Amino acid sequence: MFAFMSRLRDNDIWVIARSIIATMNEPIPNLDAILHQVGKPARYTGGEWNAVVKDWDGTGIKIALCFPDSYEIGMSNMAVPILYDLLNRQADVLAERVFAPWTDMEALMRQNSIPLYSLETKHPLKEFDIIGFSLGYELGYTNVLNMLDLAGIPVFAAERDDNCSLIIAGGSCTLNPEPLADFIDLFVIGDGEEVTKELVDCFRVWQVEGKPGGKTQLLRRLAAISGIYVPSLYHVEYQPGGTIKSITPVDKEVSPVVTRRMVCELPPPVTTTVVPYVEVTHDRGAIEIQRGCSCGCRFCQAGMIYRPVRERSHDEVMQTIEKIINDCGYDEVSLVSLNTSDYSGIHQLVNRIAREYPNLAVSLPSLRLDASAIKLLSFLPTRSKTGLTFAPEAGSVRLRRVINKNVTEENLLETAATAFERGWTTLKLYFMVGLPTETTEDVSDIVRLVEKVFAIGREASRRIPRVRISVATFVPKPHTPFQWVAQEPEASLNAKQEILQKALLHRKNISFSWNDPRTSLLEGALSRGDRRIGRVIYNAWKLGSKFDAWTEHFKFENWQRAFVDAGLTPDFYARRERPLDEVLPWSHIDAGVTTAFLKQEYASAVKGDITEDCRYQACNVCGLQRWQAGCWEKAAGK
Ligand code: SF4
């Protein structure tokens, strides 16, 4: 039933929107007057099923959960519902959602002096005590500034006084928080569940005590909580050549290193997620079956910053499915994890789901590229048989060894054959170009592999298969074995893409997409940037940049100008090889995986040596062994 509601036309939405707004003594006048002028007005109405609306005046702590992109993207994010549920379960706390308004809505809001507001009670953002941003990709940074500005909040932390809300941020991008240090009061680094509670508890005490010492005192107290980074309490010194000399705390009370928070056990899953009115990117129920991955792919930041692996039990997953169906009405669920194939007993679980919910569509993202994946998928009801996606990442065996993607060509071809034989008609393959040590021969190997898959498809399915090829540009990320390497220059990237375009473009039943190297350059500079990048982000935003992750909105010329005006270059951050002893902008953030382990992995990459998955082999001593031992003791002590 509820799934039907998300298919309502704009006009129906408009009728509902008016009725919702009419019932609310909404603090945002004129909203009614503009909603019919924008696309998808339901992005801005709130009132969805399972939305939590609390008594504004009767609730002590007010928290806005902001996602710096559109409603459709934000509502598909896993972190927002977890924090929304966790915070709203506290009697004296209300948490409300705020997404970046699309450009048509923003223009009308600015014209009508309508400040950015929350969906639940339509309160202006600046009336919240705490404003939290979820940061999952760097190209959303200008939206953070734009949302603060649209809310009438000074974008620079240094320009905000004690009456201003506390601006915080979490998410994978905070493993290098420096590029946003000028704008964010504090960063939550790592798993958010436990530290968010500690943050709210600390805020509550400060509030009850009458806010002694203002925000300065509050930030000091919060900085004492493990996993919280307050950039204003650290001083960055630079070498004459522009690299970092040191990042030091302003005094002895402040810890020189901030350690990533990790939960030993995954908290109870969220089952009463807000059901959107408009179709969103991932329009289904989602269950995080495990967090972390230990495959050890050397380009993958998630594999390093979310380890170690923590699983939910089969029973917990089954109970969650039951609740999600009852509470949200979804007829499709996604079993979310970084590497679903490695979840313990995944075949038994999928079989059990198919048996107990024969009509439920199940999506299984991130399957390992081997025949076990096909066996898994064959348990699912036919309508779950949507396109199949695998990520060989590199065309040659040699390069896959460099990136520690332990997949053989036989694996890929056998899996493809099985898939086509079992009735799949479309196969999507992800590759990257610009990987360390990559040659044009390796790139040609991508074409050779695609040709083989296509031929197998024809053979196995006795009809013309569809093969979709997506080739991303490799962007080195902090806290990975490749954090020191230089990103490939545009000219050689273009030459490699030309090899692929020549062979794969305009081919019947083969679709080919690739990244614009300029977007990847920007992503590279923002992800490995230091604190000075803040000025670049500010300049680009002032020049009109926002929604940079959307091709139609990406304005590279703004960023070129922004770097020049800041006296910096993107190449310094993205295309410069770093010596292994250089002080990196994120060196004061301890992700748990040690620098020694990353250097060892980098050396293994250059030699083309594989590091086995510690899930099935011995521990690779990545640095988390002490922390893991602590969890086992905790579990044993229960
Ligand atoms: S400490 Fe060992 S077992 Fe744990 S994630 Fe690291 S390598 Fe794997």
Side-chain angles (χ1 to χ4, degrees), residues 307-308 614 619-625 628:
R307 57 170 67 187
C614 57
C619 167
N620 296 312
V621 197
C622 73
L624 287 165
Q625 47 286 6
Q628 260 173 300

Side-chain angles (χ1 to χ4, degrees), residues 36-167:
H36 64 286
Q37 299 174 54
V38 298
K40 300 188 179 172
R43 288 166 167 164
Y44 314 111
T45 59
E48 309 101 317
W49 186 260
N50 287 336
V52 179
V53 179
K54 288 191 170 183
D55 168 20
W56 180 267
D57 300 326
T59 309
I61 302 176
K62 300 164 174 82
I63 301 179
L65 296 175
C66 299
F67 193 88
D69 210 315
S70 70
Y71 179 91
E72 294 92 314
I73 307 277
M75 284 294 286
S76 306
N77 173 272
M78 289 287 290
V80 173
I82 291 174
L83 296 174
Y84 187 78
D85 181 71
L86 180 154
L87 291 165
N88 279 318
R89 281 174 187 278
Q90 302 184 40
D92 65 339
V93 177
L94 62 79
E96 302 192 359
R97 295 160 300 135
V98 183
F99 301 100
W102 199 243
T103 49
D104 58 351
M105 179 65 174
E106 182 199 334
L108 283 170
M109 289 172 75
R110 288 190 186 274
Q111 273 168 34
N112 294 276
S113 309
I114 295 177
L116 187 60
Y117 60 88
S118 63
L119 291 183
E120 277 70 11
T121 60
K122 310 275 175 314
H123 273 83
L125 196 57
K126 66 184 197 182
E127 292 183 14
F128 285 81
D129 300 301
I130 301 173
I131 296 172
F133 284 92
S134 175
L135 304 173
Y137 44 101
E138 295 81 2
L139 297 183
Y141 287 175
T142 47
N143 279 10
V144 172
L145 277 61
N146 203 43
M147 290 172 79
L148 290 173
D149 181 67
L150 193 54
I153 298 169
V155 296
F156 286 104
E159 293 171 7
R160 295 193 292 262
D161 61 23
D162 280 0
N163 301 319
C164 279
S165 319
L166 180 71
I167 312 292

Side-chain angles (χ1 to χ4, degrees), residues 188-490:
V188 172
I189 300 185
D191 294 339
E193 289 91 345
E194 293 166 355
V195 62
T196 301
K197 283 204 188 106
E198 293 160 21
L199 185 154
V200 173
D201 292 347
C202 179
F203 183 88
R204 184 183 292 112
V205 172
W206 176 74
Q207 201 184 41
V208 169
E209 290 172 0
K211 301 182 177 184
K215 210 186 277 178
T216 310
Q217 175 56 226
L218 173 63
L219 288 172
R220 280 268 172 184
R221 292 184 185 190
L222 292 168
I225 298 174
S226 169
I228 288 187
Y229 171 57
V230 177
S232 58
L233 296 177
Y234 293 77
H235 174 63
V236 182
E237 228 183 314
Y238 298 91
Q239 305 278 18
T243 58
I244 291 180
K245 183 173 179 196
S246 64
I247 305 171
T248 47
V250 290
D251 62 44
K252 291 194 179 45
E253 279 176 38
V254 180
S255 163
V257 172
V258 177
T259 303
R260 168 173 72 102
R261 288 294 293 262
M262 297 166 256
V263 293
C264 288
E265 274 179 40
L266 297 182
V270 181
T271 62
T272 51
T273 50
V274 177
V275 181
Y277 277 140
V278 290
E279 190 154 356
V280 297
T281 313
H282 300 310
D283 208 7
R284 51 182 170 249
I287 306 156
E288 185 188 25
I289 58 173
Q290 67 182 355
R291 192 175 295 177
C293 172
S294 52
C295 288
C297 304
R298 295 177 180 130
F299 58 86
C300 177
Q301 189 188 47
M304 296 297 159
I305 67 169
Y306 288 114
R307 57 170 67 187
V309 177
R310 289 138 297 162
E311 293 191 340
R312 289 192 197 290
S313 69
H314 285 204
D315 289 345
E316 191 178 19
V317 173
M318 294 307 291
Q319 286 148 16
T320 308
I321 289 176
E322 178 73 19
K323 288 192 187 135
I324 282 182
I325 293 173
N326 295 339
D327 295 349
C328 304
Y330 281 118
D331 56 6
E332 180 175 356
V333 294
S334 177
L335 304 185
V336 178
S337 90
L338 289 172
N339 177 11
T340 306
S341 301
D342 280 345
Y343 173 81
S344 309
I346 183 70
H347 290 78
Q348 292 80 353
L349 176 67
V350 169
N351 217 346
R352 189 172 158 192
I353 297 171
R355 253 196 341 272
E356 294 183 28
Y357 303 98
N359 300 319
L360 183 71
V362 178
S363 105
L364 296 171
S366 340
L367 289 176
R368 194 179 44 249
L369 223 176
D370 62 22
S372 73
I374 305 303
K375 184 170 160 229
L376 196 52
L377 293 159
S378 59
F379 290 138
L380 297 177
T382 314
R383 72 193 194 88
S384 299
K385 269 195 183 153
T386 51
L388 263 185
T389 302
F390 292 112
E393 309 292 4
S396 69
V397 177
R398 184 199 71 78
L399 194 51
R400 283 198 294 275
R401 291 181 67 84
V402 169
I403 61 175
N404 206 33
K405 186 93 188 179
N406 206 1
V407 169
T408 65
E409 187 152 311
E410 293 63 42
N411 281 147
L412 173 62
L413 300 180
E414 186 203 336
T415 310
T418 316
F420 289 124
E421 277 156 18
R422 298 260 176 107
W424 272 273
T425 54
T426 303
L427 203 57
K428 183 163 188 178
L429 299 174
Y430 280 108
F431 293 96
M432 275 188 280
V433 285
L435 289 163
T437 78
E438 183 185 75
T439 64
T440 50
E441 193 44 44
D442 293 313
V443 177
S444 304
D445 280 338
I446 293 177
V447 177
R448 196 182 47 72
L449 208 47
V450 171
E451 299 287 9
K452 280 192 176 176
V453 168
F454 195 72
I456 280 179
R458 289 176 84 118
E459 179 68 30
S461 63
R462 297 267 167 263
R463 58 184 163 195
I464 311 275
R466 274 187 61 70
V467 180
R468 299 171 56 205
I469 307 300
S470 169
V471 176
T473 306
F474 165 62
V475 176
K477 294 280 178 170
H479 305 284
T480 68
F482 293 148
Q483 64 181 9
W484 295 281
V485 307
Q487 208 169 317
E488 187 145 349
E490 192 167 340

